[in-house]
Every structure is written in C-alpha cells, then in structure tokens.
Amino acid sequence: MYLNIKATKENTFDAIVVGSGMTGGFAAKELTEKGMKVLMIERGKEIKHVQDYDTAMKQPWEIEHRGKTTLVSAEERWANSRFWGLGSEEVVNHLTNDKENPYVEKRPFDWIRAYHTGGKSMHWGRQSYRWNKQDFEANAKEGIGIDWPIRYEDLEPWYTHVEKFVGVSGQKEGLDVLPDGHFLPPMPLFAPEAYFKKVMFDKFNRPVTVGRVANLTQTQAIHTELGRASCQYRNKCARGCPYGGYYSSLSGAIPAAMRTKRLTMLHDSIVAEIIYDDQKNKAVGVRVINQHNNLVTDYFSKIIFLNAGSINTAALMLNSKSSRFPNGFGNDSDQVGRNLMDHQLGAGATASIEGFEDDYVYGQRPNALYIPRFRNWGNDKQTAYLRGFGYQGGASREGWNRGVAADGFGGDFKENLTKPGAWAISIGGFGEVLPDPNNRMYLDPDKKDKWGVPLIVFDAAFSDNDRAIRKDIVASAVEMLETAGFKNVTPYDRPTHLGLGIHDMGTARMGRDPKTSVLNSFNQVHDSKNVFVTDGAAMASASCVNPSITYMALTARAVDHAVKSLKKREL
Amino acid sequence: MNRREVIKSVALMFGGTLSAPTLMAMNHWEQATTPTTNAAAFSLTATQQKIIAEVAEMIIPRTNTAGAKDVGVPAFVEMMLKDCYSQPDHQRFMEGVTSLEQLKFLELNEAERRGALKMMEQQTKEQMKTPSKTVPFWRLMKELTLLGYFTSEAGIKASFEYVQIPGKLENIKLKTNQKSYAY
C-alpha cells in the first residue's frame, strides 16, 4: 500500500471528533482547552454563527408562507416536517433534506435531523434538567435493561461544569426528583400559571416550576467573553440567535474551541468508517467521504470521539467492519443499534381559563412551565407501568388566530381580534421509554445512499409500558387542569412514533459487562478504549427529562478521563 | 425540541387552525409514506379571483385601517393554495368558490352577500362536525385571510403594538383598550 507520509502527517491530530452538534461541540471545546489538537468533522454544510442565521431578523411579512409548510418542503423534508413547525421556511433550510438523505422505516420512526455546523443544538428546546439519583439506579432495582455503570455523584461536578458554561436559567426548588443546578435567574411564571402552581401544590402536593432553560437571563463573563448577550425574549430561537442568547454549539462550544487555536473543522465530510489497525489492535482514525466530490480521505488520531448523534454514531460503528470487529466496530455484544429509546411527546390536555383579564405579558418567553415527575415517586405506586413522566406547557392569551374558528366577520370582528383574547393553557407530557433490545436500527443489507453508505433501517415501536404511561399522561393532565377549575378541558393524544421526541438514545449503551454493553463507565468502547461515544447512544435508560445537559456532562467527564489517560500513556 | 413549540401548538389547538400543512404532517405519521405533491392543478378564473377578493374584504374590511384587499390578501390566498395545499384541499376550496359563483355572488348587494356568507358559516360548522383531512372553503378562506392580513406589514402595524425586539420579559397589567403585542 502506498502511503503518502506528508499527507498522513497533515491528516494526523491528537483527537478526532465526529459531529459538531450538542456533544461534538462540547467534546471539541473540552479537548482543545486541555491542550489537544482536534479535528472536528461535520457531515453537513458550514453555518457561521450569526451571519448565516438568514431568517433570524426577518419580520413576519418577510416570511413568504408565514410559517406554513410548502408542498416542496413537505416533500423534501418528509421526515422533518412531521414535527410541529419544522417545515416552516423560518427554519426549514437548516434541517436535513430527507429526500437526499433517505432512511428506511420497517416500523415508522420520526427521524429529525439537522446536518450542518452545530447540528440540532441550533434547534433544540433548550430545556435543561439534571437526572436524579433514581434515574441511574432504576434499571438495577427493577431488572430493566442493564445497570448504569455510574451514579448521580459521578456526574454531579460535570453537570455544574456544563451549566456554568452553557448558562441555564431556573428556579431552585430543593426537590430530590429534579436536582437543583447552577442557575441564572429564573424566568417568570405568568399570572394564571402562578395560580395553577399554588393549586397543584395545595391539592396534589405536586410542585410546578418555571422551565430550566439554556437562555441567558443574566450574562456572566464566561458568556460575554465568547460574544454572547442576554436573551431578548423574541422567542425565535429556532432560527438561530444573533445575540447568542441561547446556548448552541455555534454560540458557545465552537467559539470556545476556536479560541484555543487548536481546532480544525472539516465540513461536508461524511465519516463512513472507523479505521481499525489489526497490527496495533486499536482504532487509528476515520475514513471520510466528501459530500460534493466523493473523494475519500483518511484522518488519524490518538483518540476518537463519536458524537454524530445516537443513530448516526451507531450506524458508523456498524459500518466499520474489521477482522477484529466483524459485526461492526465495538459490537462484540451485538448491542450496537439496539435499545433505541426516545421520549413520548404529543399527549396532554388543553383548557381555557376564565379570569385574569387584566393580566398580560410583555415579551415572549422562550420557555415553559415544568411539572416534575410525580408517578412512581415517593409514596405514589402505579401498578400499570414503571417509571413516569413530566409535563411542559404554559398559559398564554389567545391571539388573532382565535378568529379562525369563531363565528363572525367584518369590521367589529376585525377590531376585536386586535385585542388579547382569553387565557388558555396546555400541558404535554414527556414520558420515559424503557430500553428494549428489539427496538433497533441497523444497516440495510442492499440499499445505499448516493455516497455508497448503507441506508439506516428503523425497526422500533412503543411498548405496553410506554402506552400505559401515555394513557396516564392524558388522564393526569385532564385531572390537573380540571382541579385548577379551568374550562373546556380537552385531552389530546396525537398518533406518534418513536423519534418525535427528538431524544433518540441508547444505541451503544454504557454498562459494566462487555457482553451486554458497548461502552464502559467512561464512555470508552470496550476493547477499543481510545474510542469514546458520548452522545445519546451511550444511554442505558432514558429518564423522562430532556437529555442534552446529561449528554454534555457525560462528554466533559469522558474528555477529562481521556486526556488523563493519554498523559498516563494508557491509551 | 420545544416545547418552544408548545406555545405554537397552544395557538394551533385553540385557534383550531389545523389546516392542511399541519394535517399533512400528521398524515405522515399515519401513513409513513412520502407525500405526492400536486402543485400543478390549482388555478382561478378572473371571476373566481374577484369572488375571493370580495370575500376576503368582507372578512377583514377596510375601516379606519387597511382592509384585506389593501394588503394583498387575495393574491396571498391564491399563492398559499398553490404552494402549501394539495389537490384534495384545492377541490374542497373550489366547491365553495363554485357555489358562490353559482349564486352570482358578485351581482349580490352588500346585505345579500353578508347573508350568503352567514349561511356558509353555519353550513361550515355542520360540516366540521364530521372529521376530515380537508377543511371546508369558508374555514380555509377565513384562516388564510386572517393569516395574510395579520402578518402583513400594514396589517400588523395597524392592528397591534409591533415589537421586534422586546429585550425583556415582564408580567404586566393590561390597560383599557390596549392592543395585543405582535413580535
């Protein structure tokens, strides 16, 4: 084999990070800040913070179809447009063209993707909740899946580390179910929400708090030195924030990594394979296909972080076959691609609220209220299901669109719609999904994409336990809104599939035993310890809280271990 | 992802404005198939365009502020139907347009026109009781008229207190006759 020594040297780094999203960005930041020369590889196009947020400052009338999904978008983004609002031209160009990047649904899966710098960290909901102690212990106690190899205490300092950097606004509540973190000042609850909070506490002893959200309510030096400013309460986060008011890889981690001058970024580059050297018995680099010209280039490093998102990370591992790993890289256990989890979304209840006519709000809150899990917690024991759910939601005054369903037309009708309408409230559950090895994704044996990479096949569905949780999400939402005395309480339960929660995880789980897990307690691939997986793939269970902050904490912890191990020459 | 969308979905649910583009997304879950676009078919005759314009203006007339026609709602409605709605929606919409055409809507006086729309409103309420993937003409016409008007520059500025960059978030007390904020 001909080796271009010069090219090899130029293509060699201390660390390679695959993916630039929520965890890839954080890995690159932590690695470069610890002195590592890092190559970060992003499969999608380059987006520059601020200047490429092309719709961010558009006024409503400058959005041609005013937020509706066009037929063209619906066809090109056939999967992304399954999620509320993602087909809108406010955001649609920052979401993956599903037609050009197809996947196969043996059973339906709503795969939401954003192939560009920063990935889905540009679009996330920003809700940031620590897991609680039980979340790490429940699998072992209940005999579900496998035990986590770590506990809350292992992650606690890393949560703090991440929260400080990211900037999480929230209210300390002193709850075991929802551990407090390092918070910026909380956003306010609105008048009917404060009333709802009081009733829920008095009648059910259930806490209600304002969402913990990665928007800067009060900037610290750690934020301003990267050019980030306070949230402007426009609630147009999904378009990208020109103020850096919310955290993304683009506004936070990547600028921090660039500042070290040790980060090299590669765009339009699909990592197709992990290169395993049978002589050295270790992974030595990655094989990359250029999106546009299909040129293949190899890059080398001492350590590799896989942060492509749980599904693409698992696909990359499965596509990396060697004589050591004939079933895919790190897949001795046959668990890569299995135990695919998500959170349930799209069920809850709405109601109209009488009163509070004098109460109004200035500004748009990019946040919700949060009701922490109360099922199978404390003295509550459910016989129908394990685990539980939390709610997110909020109250707002109806706008002009109340006129669509109302009777009437003409001058008075028009005038009336210029005033705030009645208050209304909606709460929707986020239900925990249990790990199941039969919920999986794998590589299609025949079909390939236009770069010759096998298509991903999804074969997963909700379980009886998941459905029982969902039923209670609806019933409890109705009960709570009715108890609060709200009117026209209406349950909703949209038919959904796994994936719609956009919290896909579990496809390369951590564990203690290499026979049943893919990663060890520091996110290292068993038997190939210089490869780390720190995106959602690593999760051994799902909790019911939004996962990004946990992924980032796992990432920072793994980087710390990686660099220490490198210095001790253990990798 | 949001959960920021919760707010959006509250609006959707309460306005009952779940029309085709949203329903289209829902259908994907049910069918898990790629939709077929059907953009070519929709077109209006000059008479039909006039009817659309007159109906839009009756929903949002010019008062001391601009009306639907002033801000270009008729063309907006047509563009939205072409770009965002597919054949079953077009068909349902055209049923309504055709019935107004048969009524010789343009030849009716103001009171008669009003009566025709009132009747259509009542019929629509009946029709909406039967679940369907499409919405009747009146409902869609009203949705698109309100959307086109209240998101147009003149419509927003005349109707609401438009604030592009609030800069803060506060619970406040509503003043008498205070208009809604638009952002």
Side-chain angles (χ1 to χ4, degrees):
Chain A
M1 190 168 126
Y2 171 74
L3 280 177
N4 183 335
I5 303 293
K6 183 165 172 281
T8 302
K9 203 177 166 196
E10 276 175 4
N11 288 355
T12 300
F13 297 81
D14 294 327
I16 287 171
V17 176
V18 181
S20 68
M22 194 62 82
T23 62
F26 220 89
K29 163 189 137 48
E30 296 288 310
L31 286 161
T32 53
E33 288 180 347
K34 290 177 190 294
M36 300 277 114
K37 254 185 67 189
V38 173
L39 175 69
M40 181 157 77
I41 308 174
E42 167 53 51
R43 68 177 294 150
K45 66 182 174 187
E46 180 170 17
I47 286 184
K48 288 203 167 67
H49 180 47
V50 185
Q51 74 188 71
D52 287 336
Y53 300 152
D54 51 346
T55 60
M57 296 306 279
K58 283 203 169 163
Q59 322 224 43
W61 54 90
E62 294 170 330
I63 305 283
E64 191 183 5
H65 297 91
R66 312 288 163 85
K68 297 266 186 208
T69 301
T70 64
L71 295 171
V72 172
S73 290
E75 191 184 351
E76 289 178 352
R77 270 80 175 173
W78 56 263
N80 280 305
S81 58
R82 292 177 188 177
F83 194 91
W84 299 264
L86 291 187
S88 161
E89 54 215 329
E90 291 169 73
V91 296
V92 74
N93 289 334
H94 291 148
L95 291 152
T96 300
N97 184 323
D98 301 305
K99 209 174 166 186
E100 288 175 6
N101 298 271
Y103 63 91
V104 180
E105 296 178 286
K106 186 170 178 201
R107 288 186 281 176
F109 187 90
D110 303 328
W111 196 14
I112 308 302
R113 292 175 289 175
Y115 290 167
H116 55 71
T117 320
K120 283 177 289 191
S121 80
M122 181 176 164
H123 313 285
W124 68 312
R126 307 168 309 285
Q127 295 287 308
S128 302
Y129 303 99
R130 292 184 177 201
W131 277 34
N132 61 46
K133 289 184 183 183
Q134 278 200 27
D135 285 328
F136 291 95
E137 294 164 5
N139 274 7
K141 278 185 185 163
E142 295 164 355
I144 299 295
I146 54 167
D147 187 19
W148 276 87
I150 58 169
R151 290 292 180 261
Y152 178 76
E153 291 72 17
D154 296 303
L155 215 48
E156 199 283 332
W158 299 103
Y159 273 128
T160 304
H161 177 74
V162 170
E163 286 158 353
K164 282 183 178 169
F165 181 73
V166 163
V168 177
S169 145
Q171 176 72 54
K172 288 196 180 185
E173 300 281 359
L175 304 169
D176 290 340
V177 72
L178 196 74
D180 291 332
H182 183 88
F183 295 145
L184 303 173
M187 292 179 192
L189 289 176
F190 301 149
E193 296 170 342
Y195 159 81
F196 179 65
K197 176 186 168 112
K198 186 170 181 316
V199 178
M200 291 305 102
F201 190 79
D202 292 348
K203 297 275 172 73
F204 294 108
N205 197 25
R206 288 176 195 164
V208 175
T209 189
V210 70
R212 295 170 177 178
V213 69
N215 288 63
L216 299 178
T217 50
Q218 194 178 80
T219 52
Q220 310 295 312
I222 197 171
H223 311 124
T224 52
E225 69 195 19
L226 292 170
R228 298 185 60 196
S230 292
C231 179
Q232 300 298 307
Y233 303 99
R234 304 162 70 233
N235 194 24
K236 300 192 193 304
C237 313
R239 300 179 183 183
C241 184
Y243 305 93
Y246 75 91
Y247 177 82
S248 68
S249 243
L250 290 148
S251 70
I254 292 170
M258 291 306 285
R259 178 169 67 169
T260 66
K261 304 200 190 313
R262 285 187 281 270
L263 177 66
T264 304
M265 289 185 68
L266 205 58
H267 285 93
D268 307 303
S269 301
I270 300 162
V271 177
E273 259 182 82
I274 298 155
I275 305 166
Y276 190 83
D277 186 323
D278 283 315
Q279 261 90 55
K280 291 182 184 166
N281 281 320
K282 67 193 290 192
V284 294
V286 296
R287 185 152 296 153
V288 169
I289 304 170
N290 182 291
Q291 282 250 21
H292 304 302
N293 58 23
N294 285 26
L295 280 178
V296 176
T297 313
D298 292 350
Y299 294 90
F300 306 96
S301 63
K302 295 172 198 144
I303 53 175
I304 301 168
F305 270 70
L306 302 184
N307 300 93
S310 62
I311 290 155
N312 278 319
T313 286
L316 167 58
M317 295 173 82
L318 291 171
N319 198 39
S320 305
K321 291 179 178 152
S322 56
S323 49
R324 168 62 190 84
F325 291 113
N327 299 320
F329 180 78
N331 196 22
D332 292 348
S333 63
D334 187 36
Q335 293 300 310
V336 175
R338 295 186 181 274
N339 310 299
L340 176 56
M341 297 174 282
D342 183 28
H343 288 139
Q344 302 200 58
L345 188 66
T350 64
S352 47
I353 301 175
E354 289 176 353
F356 304 97
E357 287 95 351
D358 296 343
D359 290 296
Y360 197 34
V361 176
Y362 179 86
Q364 300 205 96
R365 188 179 63 189
N367 194 7
L369 60 73
Y370 190 73
I371 306 169
R373 172 178 161 185
F374 50 84
R375 289 304 192 205
N376 289 319
W377 191 267
N379 295 326
D380 185 88
K381 284 281 170 292
Q382 296 297 311
T383 50
Y385 60 85
L386 297 170
R387 315 285 167 96
F389 53 86
Y391 288 106
Q392 290 171 33
S396 57
R397 293 194 78 146
E398 292 170 334
W400 58 260
N401 52 1
R402 68 185 183 271
V404 175
D407 278 355
F409 53 88
D412 292 345
F413 172 80
K414 171 190 172 193
E415 173 64 18
N416 180 267
L417 294 180
T418 66
K419 309 272 167 51
W423 284 92
I425 187 167
S426 169
I427 57 173
F430 279 67
E432 179 160 356
V433 168
L434 296 178
D436 173 356
N438 294 320
N439 277 342
R440 61 185 298 214
M441 41 75 51
Y442 55 91
L443 301 182
D444 194 295
D446 307 311
K447 292 181 197 146
K448 290 184 162 61
D449 64 20
K450 59 184 180 182
W451 302 282
V453 179
L455 294 192
I456 289 166
V457 182
F458 288 97
D459 184 9
F462 291 119
S463 69
D464 289 344
N465 196 78
D466 303 335
R467 277 187 287 273
I469 284 185
R470 196 171 182 90
K471 214 172 145 190
D472 194 14
I473 284 174
V474 176
S476 294
V478 167
E479 183 188 27
M480 290 164 78
L481 296 181
E482 282 181 347
T483 302
F486 298 149
K487 307 294 176 199
N488 306 318
V489 175
T490 308
Y492 68 90
D493 184 359
R494 293 172 60 171
T496 68
H497 312 126
L498 280 168
L500 193 77
I502 328 184
H503 293 160
D504 44 272
M505 60 174 102
T507 47
R509 66 186 178 190
M510 295 168 77
R512 300 171 196 277
D513 184 353
K515 289 195 191 71
T516 58
S517 63
V518 182
L519 311 173
N520 71 11
S521 63
F522 283 103
N523 298 72
Q524 294 167 287
V525 173
H526 293 304
D527 286 335
S528 193
K529 293 207 164 35
N530 66 331
V531 179
F532 294 76
V533 176
T534 70
D535 58 22
M539 307 299 272
S541 63
S543 176
C544 66
V545 299
N546 306 56
S548 293
I549 200 102
T550 299
Y551 298 168
M552 286 189 271
L554 284 170
T555 301
R557 180 173 174 272
V559 168
D560 183 66
H561 182 76
V563 175
K564 281 178 181 156
S565 302
L566 262 187
K567 285 184 179 156
K568 286 191 259 175
R569 298 181 184 280
E570 288 172 357
L571 291 180
Chain B
M1 211 159 288
N2 213 336
R3 314 39 116 169
R4 94 180 73 87
E5 300 295 337
V6 163
I7 304 301
K8 209 175 239 176
S9 62
V10 170
L12 284 173
M13 283 177 290
F14 282 95
T17 55
L18 292 177
S19 71
T22 317
L23 290 168
M24 202 173 346
M26 288 186 183
N27 293 344
H28 292 196
W29 289 317
E30 288 156 18
Q31 297 161 7
T33 52
T34 312
T36 48
T37 52
N38 220 329
F42 189 77
S43 71
L44 295 170
T45 65
T47 306
Q48 289 167 341
Q49 283 175 331
K50 266 187 204 149
I51 291 173
I52 298 300
E54 293 310 314
V55 172
E57 186 69 16
M58 286 190 71
I59 296 170
I60 301 287
R62 184 193 290 174
T63 51
N64 56 348
T65 57
K69 284 201 279 196
D70 294 326
V71 306
V73 165
F76 175 79
V77 170
E78 198 173 339
M79 182 267 289
M80 291 296 285
L81 276 156
K82 270 186 191 144
D83 292 356
C84 299
Y85 293 82
S86 49
Q87 205 268 335
D89 302 291
H90 294 162
Q91 199 181 324
R92 195 100 192 255
F93 189 84
M94 290 311 291
E95 283 168 17
V97 179
T98 312
S99 71
L100 290 176
E101 221 175 350
Q102 285 163 352
L103 262 181
K104 300 198 186 304
F105 186 77
L106 296 174
E107 292 167 29
L108 304 180
N109 67 32
E110 178 73 18
E112 289 166 339
R113 286 181 183 186
R114 186 175 300 277
L117 295 190
K118 288 257 184 215
M119 202 167 74
M120 201 167 230
E121 184 169 63
Q122 291 312 311
Q123 284 169 352
T124 301
K125 273 160 77 171
E126 282 305 307
Q127 290 166 354
M128 298 279 293
K129 287 177 185 162
T130 313
S132 167
K133 286 177 179 175
T134 59
V135 295
F137 163 80
W138 173 249
R139 172 60 77 98
L140 186 52
M141 184 62 204
K142 208 165 159 189
E143 176 183 342
L144 292 176
T145 301
L146 298 189
L147 178 66
Y149 181 78
F150 286 116
T151 59
S152 70
E153 182 170 9
I156 283 185
K157 289 180 175 171
S159 309
F160 309 118
E161 193 171 330
Y162 178 59
V163 185
Q164 201 186 3
I165 303 164
K168 60 180 180 181
L169 176 68
E170 279 178 356
N171 281 303
I172 59 168
K173 290 290 172 189
L174 200 63
K175 295 186 212 87
T176 316
N177 276 328
Q178 186 176 337
K179 291 183 166 174
S180 299
Y181 292 111
Y183 301 95

